[in-house]
Amino acid sequence: MTPLFAALDTQALTQYLINGLSYGMLIALVALGYTMVYGIVELINFAHGDLFMLGAFLGWTIITAVFKVSPDDAVLGPVALLVCFVIVPAFCGLLNFSVDRVIYRPLRKAPRLAPLVSAIGVSFIFQNLGLFWGGPQDVDFPKLVSNKNLLGLDATVRFTYQDLLVVGVTIPLMIALTVFVKLTPLGKAMRATAQNPTAAQLMGINTERVIATTFILGGTLAGFGAMIYGLTINSIHYQMGFLVGLYAFTAAVLGGIGNIPGAVLGGLLIGLVRSLGSAYVGERWTGALIFAMLIVVLVFRPAGLLGARVREKV
Amino acid sequence: MAALLSLDLLRAGYGPIDALHDVSIQVSEGEIVALIGANGAGKTTTLMSISGVVKARSGTVSFDGRDITRMPAHEIVKLGLAQSPEGRKIFPRLTVLENLQMGAFTRSDRDGVATDLEKAFVMFPILRERKNQPGGLLSGGQQQMLAIARALMARPKLLMLDEPSLGLAPQIVVQIFDVVKELNKTGMSVLLVEQNARMALKVAHRGYVLETGRVTMADEAQKLLHDPRVRAAYLGE
C-alpha cells in the first residue's frame, strides 16, 4: 500500500469534498461575473476580482465601523449581516455598472485591446483604493458566522454554519440566475444579445440596457461572493482580488467562457482540486494542479468543458 | 400613394469609407420594392441604415411620417419596421420558439403575439415541428424561414428582406417568394434586397438598381426586367 491509498479513508475524503465544494461555490460566484460579461461584450473584465475585494472591504467597514459589532454579539451581528448582504451586493453591482458606463461603453466599438487594457487599469485603481481603505496588511474580518459543526460536536465530518452559509447563499442565487436567464424576457434578450448583437438590435432589444444589466448582475454576484469570503476566510487583503479573480477567471475558461453552468462547474472543479490536491499532494502544489487541469482540459476541449465546440457562425 | 418609407440623399458607411452616396429610395404602402445590385453595391448597408444599426452620415430616413434618421435601432422596430437580415442571423442557441418570441420583443399584446405565432406556424409548418430545437440545428432553408417568421412577429408595416434566396435550393426559393407575395396581398409593404434579380423583379412592383453605393436606375419592375442594361448586368443575358 502506498501512502496515498493509506490516506484514503472515507471520512477524510468526505471532509475534503465538503471543503472543496464550499470553496468552489465561492469561486463560481465570482466566475459568473467574468463569464456573463465575456459572453455579452467579449471583454475579460480584469477588474472583476478587485471589485470583489472592494465588496469585502465595504462589508468589513459596515460590520466594524458602522455597527461596531463585537464577535459574540447575538443581536447586532445578524442585523449587520443582513445589512451587509443587501448593501455589499448592491454596491458591487452599481460600481460594476458605473465602470462599464464610464469606461468600457465609450470603447465598445474600439479594437478589442482598448477595453482590455482599460480593465487592467481599473484593476490597479481598485487595488489602490483597497490599499487606501484597509492598509497594506491583512485585515481581520469579524467571525460573525461560527464554524461550529452542524453535525454535532463529536462528529468526525465537519459541516459548519459557515458551510451552510455558502450553500444557503450560492445555491438560491444560482437557481435565481438560471430562472432569470432562461425564462424572463430580459434574460432571453441577454442570451440573444450574446449570440448576435446586431440581430438583437433588429428585434428591438436595447442592447446597451442588456449589457448594463449584465454588469449589474455580475457585480452583484461578486458582492455576495465577497461577503461569503470575508465570513468564511475571516481575513481580507487589498490584493486578494488577484488570486480569487485568477481562479474565478480560470473556472470560467475551464467551464467554457460565456457559459453560465460552465462557470459553476469550473468553480466547483477548482475548489475540489484545490482541496483534494492540498490533502493528497501538498498545499504548495495546488496552483500547479489547478492550471495543469486547465491545460489538459483545453488541449482536449479548447472551448472549455461546456463551451460550444465550434463558434456557431450562421 | 403616400410613401411609407423614404430615403433622401442618404450617405452612410464604415470607417473612413462611404458605402452609400446620396441614395434616395421610396417604398409606398402596399408595395413590393426590389433593390438589386452586385456584391458590395451597398444593398445591405442601405437596409442597416434604415434599421438604425449603421448611422447615416447625412441625408434623412423617414418612415410612416416620422424622421427616424437618428433614432436608435431598438426604437425603430416599434414603429413597425422589421428586417430579416443578410445571413439570417438567427440566434443559434435559442430554440425556434424563443427566436420567434424575440421577434415580438417590443410587443406587449400577448393575444396578438399568440395569434401571430400561430400564423407563423401555419405559414412554415416545419417551424412548429422543430419549435423546441435550437435554431442553429435547422437547415439553411429552415433558418431562412425562421428569420422571416421572426421578423413578422414584430407585426411590421414594412418588412425588409436581405437576400432571402441566398444559398437555398430552387424549390425553397420559390416557396419563400410565394410567402412574400402572400404577405403583400394582406397589405404588407416589402423592401426586397436580392442578388437573384430575376426572382426579385418578378415579384416586385418597382425596383432600384444600386451600383457602388449609388442608385443608377429606378423604374417599374417589369420595365427593369426587360431593360437591356439590367438584362446584361444582372440577369446573365
Side-chain angles (χ1 to χ4, degrees):
Chain A
M1 278 288 198
T2 63
L4 184 71
F5 283 103
L8 269 184
D9 72 277
T10 47
Q11 276 175 356
L13 182 63
T14 311
Q15 188 62 60
Y16 301 140
L17 291 177
I18 291 175
N19 297 351
L21 290 174
S22 182
Y23 188 77
M25 283 188 194
L26 167 69
I27 295 297
L29 275 187
V30 183
L32 283 168
Y34 278 102
T35 224
M36 289 168 70
V37 163
Y38 184 86
I40 211 130
V41 284
E42 296 191 4
L43 164 73
I44 295 161
N45 183 8
F46 279 111
H48 193 67
D50 305 290
L51 177 83
F52 158 86
M53 175 273 297
L54 288 180
F57 274 103
L58 179 65
W60 165 70
T61 299
I62 292 174
I63 293 167
T64 58
V66 179
F67 282 89
K68 299 190 170 62
V69 182
S70 61
D72 299 321
D73 198 321
V75 182
L76 218 46
V79 174
L81 266 190
L82 250 130
V83 170
C84 280
F85 268 107
V86 173
I87 291 186
V88 172
F91 164 79
C92 289
L94 276 178
L95 185 57
N96 215 27
F97 162 77
S98 312
V99 169
D100 173 58
R101 187 71 190 76
V102 176
I103 297 166
Y104 304 148
R105 185 170 162 182
L107 298 172
R108 205 78 83 206
K109 292 200 170 85
R112 203 68 63 77
L113 267 180
L116 194 74
V117 171
S118 306
I120 294 173
V122 175
S123 163
F124 279 111
I125 293 170
F126 280 1
Q127 283 191 27
N128 277 296
L129 280 173
L131 175 63
F132 178 72
W133 195 338
Q137 74 292 349
D138 284 328
V139 173
D140 287 337
F141 196 100
K143 211 179 213 132
L144 291 187
V145 176
S146 85
N147 56 0
K148 210 158 57 177
N149 194 354
L150 275 162
L151 306 176
L153 286 174
D154 309 326
T156 39
V157 171
R158 290 176 56 78
F159 184 83
T160 66
Y161 282 97
Q162 292 186 351
D163 294 322
L164 182 68
L165 171 84
V166 176
V167 174
V169 172
T170 52
I171 302 255
L173 280 177
M174 284 166 189
I175 292 172
L177 181 70
T178 307
V179 169
F180 171 79
V181 169
K182 285 268 175 218
L183 300 179
T184 67
L186 190 54
K188 285 180 192 174
M190 196 175 271
R191 285 189 289 148
T193 305
Q195 291 173 34
N196 195 321
T198 305
Q201 279 185 296
L202 292 177
M203 299 301 110
I205 293 168
N206 183 347
T207 50
E208 279 304 330
R209 210 182 112 214
V210 168
I211 294 169
T213 310
T214 308
F215 273 89
I216 292 173
L217 280 179
T220 305
L221 294 174
F224 279 105
M227 282 308 297
I228 288 175
Y229 185 96
L231 291 167
T232 54
I233 315 272
N234 300 116
S235 170
I236 60 177
H237 184 263
Y238 79 97
Q239 281 178 327
M240 74 189 218
F242 177 73
L243 190 65
V244 173
L246 191 62
Y247 278 167
F249 171 59
T250 307
V253 175
L254 191 62
I257 193 136
N259 183 300
I260 287 176
V264 176
L265 178 67
L268 294 180
L269 279 175
I270 284 178
L272 286 175
V273 168
R274 181 174 174 271
S275 164
L276 295 173
S278 65
Y280 295 119
V281 185
E283 195 168 350
R284 74 181 80 168
W285 293 102
T286 53
L289 282 172
I290 286 171
F291 287 97
M293 169 173 70
L294 177 73
I295 290 165
V296 169
V297 167
L298 291 186
V299 164
F300 291 103
R301 294 192 60 106
L305 290 170
L306 302 183
R309 242 173 270 187
V310 194
R311 199 172 156 75
E312 283 147 294
K313 262 282 182 255
V314 188
Chain B
M1 262 189 293
L4 180 62
L5 175 77
S6 179
L7 274 60
D8 195 23
L9 299 174
L10 186 73
R11 191 175 278 267
Y14 310 91
I17 297 153
D18 280 348
L20 301 181
H21 309 277
D22 304 332
V23 168
S24 297
I25 287 174
Q26 275 83 39
V27 180
S28 298
E29 280 183 37
E31 216 181 12
I32 301 179
V33 172
L35 186 58
I36 61 174
N39 238 339
K43 305 186 297 293
T44 296
T45 308
T46 305
L47 292 201
M48 284 301 179
S49 308
I50 297 169
S51 282
V53 173
V54 173
K55 292 297 163 205
R57 293 188 170 154
S58 64
T60 55
V61 182
S62 55
F63 177 70
D64 208 9
R66 296 176 64 167
D67 184 349
I68 61 167
T69 319
R70 306 260 165 259
M71 198 179 269
H74 60 95
E75 285 177 19
I76 290 175
V77 183
K78 272 185 233 170
L79 302 178
L81 212 171
Q83 184 186 157
S84 163
E86 184 190 27
R88 299 146 203 160
K89 294 193 170 59
I90 58 148
F91 303 113
R93 291 181 299 283
L94 296 188
T95 64
V96 168
L97 182 62
E98 286 170 332
N99 267 279
L100 293 171
Q101 289 168 342
M102 284 297 115
F105 188 77
T106 55
R107 295 174 62 183
S108 47
D109 55 323
R110 279 167 179 254
D111 293 347
V113 172
T115 311
D116 288 354
L117 186 65
E118 185 54 35
K119 273 191 204 163
F121 284 152
V122 170
M123 195 180 291
F124 302 114
I126 187 73
L127 297 182
R128 192 200 302 273
E129 273 172 48
R130 309 193 65 173
K131 67 176 179 181
N132 293 320
Q133 292 181 22
L137 292 184
L138 300 185
S139 71
Q142 292 164 355
Q143 290 192 8
Q144 188 60 59
M145 293 173 195
L146 178 58
I148 295 173
R150 186 181 64 173
L152 290 173
M153 289 301 291
R155 200 179 269 191
K157 295 184 188 117
L158 173 64
L159 174 68
M160 299 194 290
L161 300 173
D162 197 345
E163 302 279 9
S165 74
L166 196 69
L168 299 187
Q171 303 117 296
I172 299 181
V173 175
V174 170
Q175 193 188 341
I176 284 181
F177 277 88
D178 283 343
V179 165
V180 171
K181 279 187 274 186
E182 284 300 312
L183 289 168
N184 181 246
K185 276 185 197 149
T186 67
M188 191 177 289
S189 311
V190 179
L191 178 55
L192 179 61
V193 159
E194 262 298 344
Q195 280 197 59
N196 188 339
R198 189 188 308 274
M199 283 298 278
L201 291 173
K202 273 183 185 163
V203 299
H205 301 109
R206 289 191 305 116
Y208 292 88
V209 177
L210 206 58
E211 282 172 19
T212 58
R214 288 184 175 81
V215 174
T216 52
M217 295 173 80
D219 211 332
E220 282 169 31
Q222 284 305 315
K223 288 188 182 157
L224 288 176
L225 207 49
H226 296 103
D227 186 286
R229 286 167 297 170
V230 173
R231 295 180 80 93
Y234 303 106
L235 303 178
E237 288 172 10

